Amino acid sequence: MNVMLRPGRDADADDILRIVDGCWSEYPGCVTDIDGEAPELRALATYCAGRDGAFWVAERSGTPVGMICAWPLADGAWELAKMYVQADARGSGAAHELAEAAEAHARAHGAVRMRLWSDTRFDRAHRFYEKRSYVRAGAIRALGDKSNSIEYPYAKPLAGVAVEVLDAAASASAVGPLARVLAACVDDGAAVSFLAPLDHAQARAFWDEQARTVARGDAAILAAWLDGDIVGTVSIIDAGKPNQPHRADLTKMLVTPRARRRGIGRVLMAAAEAEALRRGHRLLVLDTRAGGASEALYRQAGWVEVGAIPDYALNPDGQEFHATVYYYKRLVP
Ligand SMILES: CC(C)(COP(=O)(O)OP(=O)(O)OC[C@H]1O[C@@H](n2cnc3c(N)ncnc32)[C@H](O)[C@@H]1OP(=O)(O)O)[C@@H](O)C(=O)NCCC(=O)NCCS
């Protein structure tokens, strides 16, 4: 059954308390002490208005089954908060519609970044936020409340094109969207080590391993967001040899097909070169299929062609071999 969104009202308090209580009681150790710890739930519309924010409920047959709030923070960021959908309304699209409404409202009010906190126990919520291209962003916090809540911070750029270097926690939390980008590129014909069709589990396994390399300190993953969705990526893999402390490989430069030719590849490249310099590198190397779209991008960015190796790899359809061209770029601090 479809859900309908509408602005929340203080008079929704009974339904709000029922929804919140139901969600919290799914997790061991979580207790709701409304008057002691969350009195704002008794008049949530007034509370959000007082923070210059907004509050929505999702209704099914006239009864609230989900809710979300959003309000401005400092530095152009907005916070997404109090996102709850009752168990029997999950999978209906209600949660995505609520998050979409809150993000669109924040964007329309000039937000450039969205932040949220999520209890470390709420694993379903983490998967939901990660699907919406939020990544772990900074240190966890302990609330010292009756539920002994410890929360992960999540964030994402919300508007336009933005590229960020992902740390270990962010890389691990971005595996889903990065797998989507990789699979879309391979299925579209990109020659990036895999054959098409690339299944999601295989794509995830690749990024899981790449995130572990980041955690070991041997690589950096950069992600590009377009209006709040991860649509592109590039990785820097340190050469890792005692005699090559100054060198790294640039790999997996990917922009999902629907987001191409908007300059995202160029922004990723500039950010990757800056990050490589920051990591102490002075020489970058990459290889790419001869004649691909990427060659124009690399040449434009000042990369120098070394030469082509014939029959280096199979095309993604597994039928024919293609030549691969090597490029390098010296980085000047
Ligand atoms: C290569 C790739 C990352 C480019 O991403 P993108 O976001 O479309 O690139 P940009 O929009 O920043 O393009 C920058 C420049 O590269 C060149 N370029 C990009 N795509 C091109 C294409 N299809 N044909 C010709 N030139 C192209 C252009 O010079 C472009 O500048 P312009 O648009 O002002 O003319 C993207 O096509 C991709 O993901 N391809 C599949 C994966 C792949 O092959 N990766 C390389 C692995 S080594």
Side-chain angles (χ1 to χ4, degrees), residues 185 190-192 250 252-256 259-267 286-289 293-294 296-298 300:
C185 288
V192 284
L250 194 104
K252 297 291 179 289
M253 163 68 87
L254 304 164
V255 174
T256 207
R260 290 190 189 152
R261 298 312 292 267
R262 296 165 184 247
I264 296 174
R266 209 177 355 239
V267 178
L286 66 78
D287 65 82
T288 190
R289 174 168 54 190
S294 52
L297 168 65
Y298 301 146
Q300 217 180 60

Side-chain angles (χ1 to χ4, degrees), residues 157-192:
L158 195 58
V161 174
V163 170
E164 292 185 4
V165 180
L166 307 180
D167 66 11
S171 298
S173 64
V175 160
L178 293 174
R180 277 204 305 266
V181 171
L182 175 60
C185 288
V186 171
D187 293 355
D188 183 63
V192 284

